[in-house]
Amino acid sequence: LSWNEAPLPAVFPPVRLQINDSEGHPSSSHQTLKGTSKWAASLENLLEDPEGVKRFREFLKKEFSEENVLFWLACEEFKKTQGKKQMQEKAKEIYMTFLSSKASSQVNVEGQSRLNETILETPHPLMFQKLQDQIFNLMKYDSYSRFLKSDIFLNHKKLEEQEENSPEAQTAAKRASRIYNT
């Protein structure tokens, strides 16, 4: 063993120091991205945040392409479906809503014309994966970049920054600072 691999003697047990904020909640020394910063980091992050999805949908609605994110979300939900009967019902719902030629919110994906209702008889969790990936890439390389420049995103970001710089937030930060530096 080299010097940096040698175990510490038992007389030096590992010290676990937990720092709490002024309300007693565990604090982290590194800030994790949240809100608009997290959304701007990646489309994946945006789609993991319910508020991000809400704002993105609002934006897509104005662009007349909300069906893309709705389809993506429906596919994510479909993957979690248990039981053949429930899968058949959800698969049919997704097909009729987004993929059929008579769909109310039809998405534009390649290979759609080859899809027909016979696939709905033997559903499996990843049956829509290729189509979902197409829609994800369409959003990622098209509407997502426009969303990050949109008034919806920029106004939400500004509001977030104002809240962070509010007197209440400043006071909490000062209290936390006093606690950590004592």
Side-chain angles (χ1 to χ4, degrees):
L1 289 176
S2 68
W3 67 270
N4 59 350
E5 294 173 325
L8 289 174
V11 292
F12 298 109
V15 177
R16 300 226 192 295
L17 179 63
Q18 180 173 324
I19 299 174
N20 295 325
D21 65 15
S22 60
E23 282 97 42
H25 300 101
S27 179
S28 165
S29 61
H30 69 285
Q31 291 288 318
T32 55
L33 291 177
K34 56 185 171 186
T36 54
S37 298
K38 191 173 182 179
W39 305 347
S42 73
L43 178 58
E44 291 87 341
N45 286 350
L46 172 73
L47 294 171
E48 288 173 3
D49 182 346
E51 183 66 22
V53 170
K54 180 180 171 185
R55 299 298 173 192
F56 193 46
R57 279 185 64 185
E58 194 179 320
F59 170 75
L60 292 176
K61 198 177 282 185
K62 288 182 175 186
E63 290 213 332
F64 304 101
S65 59
E66 183 186 23
E67 68 278 357
N68 290 335
V69 74
L70 293 176
F71 174 72
W72 189 88
L73 291 166
C75 291
E76 284 298 291
E77 196 59 39
F78 178 74
K79 291 175 193 174
K80 301 173 194 167
T81 306
Q82 301 292 313
K84 186 177 180 181
K85 183 101 174 106
Q86 287 85 353
M87 285 188 100
Q88 285 175 326
E89 289 171 9
K90 281 201 179 203
K92 184 173 183 176
E93 186 182 328
I94 289 171
Y95 179 80
M96 297 309 283
T97 306
F98 301 105
L99 301 170
S100 133
S101 59
K102 301 174 196 121
S104 56
S105 298
Q106 189 177 39
V107 291
N108 186 14
V109 287
E110 287 178 38
Q112 192 171 357
S113 59
R114 291 191 298 273
L115 278 180
N116 61 48
E117 292 186 49
T118 58
I119 66 160
L120 303 177
E121 293 165 15
T122 55
H124 58 88
L126 300 177
M127 66 187 282
F128 298 117
Q129 189 64 52
K130 283 184 181 178
L131 302 176
Q132 185 187 16
D133 290 346
Q134 282 183 41
I135 291 299
F136 179 85
N137 285 326
L138 176 68
M139 292 188 301
K140 184 174 183 172
Y141 297 111
D142 185 38
S143 45
Y144 173 65
S145 57
R146 285 195 308 281
F147 169 72
L148 295 178
K149 298 172 193 161
S150 73
D151 287 343
I152 291 172
F153 175 79
L154 296 174
N155 290 339
H156 194 75
K157 183 177 180 180
K158 188 187 295 183
L159 188 66
E160 219 175 57
E161 289 166 354
Q162 287 171 350
E163 287 173 6
E164 284 176 13
N165 296 327
S166 71
E168 296 85 23
Q170 303 265 328
T171 305
K174 286 178 186 172
R175 279 196 311 264
S177 174
R178 281 196 301 269
I179 293 167
Y180 299 146
N181 294 327
T182 55

